[in-house]
Amino acid sequence: MDNADKLLIDTLFENGKTPLKELAAKVGLSAPSTSERLKRLEERGVIKGYTLNVASDQIGYPLRAIVRVSPMPGQLQRVTKLIQQTAEITECDKVTGEDCFVCKIHLKSIEQLDLILDSISQYAATNSSIIKSSPVKRRLPPL
């Protein structure tokens, strides 16, 4: 990956709708060459897709929480399915350590958090934290 590829990735990460003409100008290449580079980055799996960033509070979800989940013995598969089926859980990572999963949940209310935790707590221990702010927004690791 050369500097032009890195610049394309950085630019598209910030704004996935950046026009091809603007991308080409930024990397100092023609539009067809830039298009070919993007195609190669996609084919190699470096660029997996283009995404939309939505303000969850503007669509009725003013609260966010991080929930750590530790399934009870023999309940890993059931808890995994519950997490996957809970639409408000927008991200979940399987992790090492005391917990098995770390989930991010978007919520309309604290009462909704209770309902979600109640459905999971039959099969797992949970520990939740309400997100106050995000001092580090989603970003790329150094290229």
Side-chain angles (χ1 to χ4, degrees):
M1 194 162 37
D2 64 12
N3 286 336
D5 288 342
K6 291 176 185 178
L7 188 53
L8 285 172
I9 291 167
D10 280 337
T11 303
L12 287 170
F13 187 81
E14 290 301 317
N15 179 5
K17 289 180 66 176
T18 305
L20 183 59
K21 185 177 177 181
E22 188 178 323
L23 287 170
K26 202 162 200 170
V27 296
L29 298 170
S30 67
S33 293
T34 301
S35 179
E36 187 59 35
R37 276 181 177 266
L38 289 173
K39 183 179 175 185
R40 281 195 308 264
L41 289 167
E42 291 167 357
E43 288 171 351
R44 289 183 14 224
V46 175
I47 295 176
K48 292 185 173 189
Y50 301 85
T51 187
L52 182 65
N53 190 2
V54 176
S56 57
D57 59 325
Q58 296 297 308
I59 59 169
Y61 293 87
L63 300 172
R64 294 176 298 144
I66 300 292
V67 177
R68 298 189 333 256
V69 181
S70 300
M72 294 176 191
Q75 299 300 319
L76 179 63
Q77 297 305 319
R78 179 176 279 172
V79 170
T80 300
K81 279 188 178 179
L82 269 172
I83 288 170
Q84 291 169 337
Q85 293 170 352
T86 304
E88 293 82 4
I89 297 177
T90 56
E91 292 180 55
C92 183
D93 295 309
K94 191 171 184 181
V95 298
T96 62
E98 290 183 30
D99 303 311
C100 190
F101 300 104
V102 176
C103 305
K104 184 180 279 187
I105 304 180
H106 285 78
L107 302 159
K108 293 182 178 193
S109 66
I110 293 294
E111 292 77 21
Q112 187 180 26
L113 176 62
D114 284 338
L115 291 172
I116 292 168
L117 294 180
D118 286 348
S119 71
I120 295 171
S121 66
Q122 300 174 57
Y123 311 105
T126 61
N127 185 309
S128 60
S129 300
I130 298 295
I131 298 173
K132 294 177 12 179
S133 67
S134 298
V136 176
K137 302 291 183 200
R138 188 177 72 95
R139 63 183 176 191
L140 285 170
L143 297 175

